[in-house]
Amino acid sequence: MQQQSIGGVDIHYLSLCKRKLWLYKHGIQMENESDQVLQGSVLHESAYPRLEKREVLIDNEFKIDSIDGEFVREVKLSSRMRESDRLQMLFYLYQLQLRGVVKKGLISYTKERRTEEILLGPQEKLEIKAAIAEAYKVVEKQKPPGLKKLSYCKKCAYYSFCYAGEGDEDDA
Ligand code: SF4
């Protein structure tokens, strides 16, 4: 397949499940109205009305939800996917830094009423570079990584697809 660029949502999926990333990038898109991404956008409006939501499209490659002064901001329902949220934010900070724009990240979790600051230091830079390289490797595979039972699966938009009987137990 023609190489597609990797974006912030892709990095989020990579961190959650490599199979999910592959399915998503290969055109099997089953995200629905109950998806957390959409919920997050509704939450953004209701929980942080004063925070200007201003989608910024960077080089036609990825969108950032909101920029608030020196911060890139994201609003999430809960910290259940905290590690994936952190990696996605690192992706945005890294991409901006590549373009000469230095920002910090803030992720607000509405359920916990907590906001976390994310900084892109040298270690985080290595981490996100490795994640991007890994995401390309996953997407370039001819077949999706095997089904791996995760506690997250039941909430995943691909649940019915993955558990329709065709999955194997290979490691992703
Ligand atoms: S249902 Fe589970 S294995 Fe399938 S894509 Fe989602 S998280 Fe991955």
Side-chain angles (χ1 to χ4, degrees):
M1 86 187 267
Q2 196 184 352
Q3 194 181 53
Q4 304 176 47
S5 61
I6 292 297
V9 172
D10 302 327
I11 292 295
H12 198 270
Y13 288 173
L14 173 82
S15 171
L16 280 176
C17 171
K18 291 173 187 173
R19 180 175 170 88
K20 177 165 182 155
L21 170 65
W22 192 97
L23 293 172
Y24 177 69
K25 295 297 275 183
H26 284 254
I28 304 166
Q29 301 200 8
M30 300 176 76
E31 300 292 6
N32 54 38
E33 283 177 17
S34 67
D35 188 75
Q36 297 293 314
V37 174
L38 290 177
Q39 283 191 29
S41 134
V42 172
L43 279 168
H44 192 289
E45 306 295 330
S46 55
Y48 296 86
R50 279 172 300 165
L51 177 61
E52 189 183 354
K53 185 171 169 68
R54 197 174 40 172
E55 275 195 343
V56 187
L57 182 63
I58 310 289
D59 290 352
N60 249 354
E61 283 188 18
F62 63 94
K63 279 182 195 159
I64 292 176
D65 264 5
S66 176
I67 294 189
D68 185 15
E70 60 180 327
F71 294 104
V72 171
R73 298 199 63 160
E74 291 270 314
V75 179
K76 306 280 187 187
L77 178 63
S78 80
S79 58
R80 192 167 49 91
M81 294 184 270
R82 186 167 172 259
E83 183 49 31
S84 305
D85 299 339
R86 187 185 75 88
L87 213 57
Q88 183 176 4
M89 178 61 82
L90 287 180
F91 175 84
Y92 294 140
L93 299 179
Y94 174 62
Q95 292 297 329
L96 286 172
Q97 196 181 83
L98 286 179
R99 292 157 175 84
V101 179
V102 177
K103 298 276 181 202
K104 297 183 231 176
L106 284 182
I107 307 177
S108 297
Y109 293 108
T110 55
K111 263 190 187 166
E112 293 94 342
R113 297 192 164 276
R114 194 179 76 228
T115 295
E116 293 189 7
E117 186 174 275
I118 310 290
L119 301 175
L120 181 72
Q123 201 54 42
E124 288 79 11
K125 214 156 142 179
L126 290 176
E127 189 185 352
I128 192 60
K129 283 168 81 169
I132 293 168
E134 177 68 15
Y136 277 110
K137 260 172 61 185
V138 170
V139 172
E140 282 163 13
K141 287 185 181 190
Q142 293 301 308
K143 293 199 307 187
L147 192 158
K148 199 174 174 186
K149 290 180 181 170
L150 303 168
S151 56
Y152 168 74
C153 286
K154 284 192 176 163
K155 296 194 168 76
C156 176
Y158 293 107
Y159 182 76
S160 56
F161 179 90
C162 286
Y163 287 83
E166 61 86 46
D168 56 49
E169 298 289 331
D170 290 351
D171 195 351

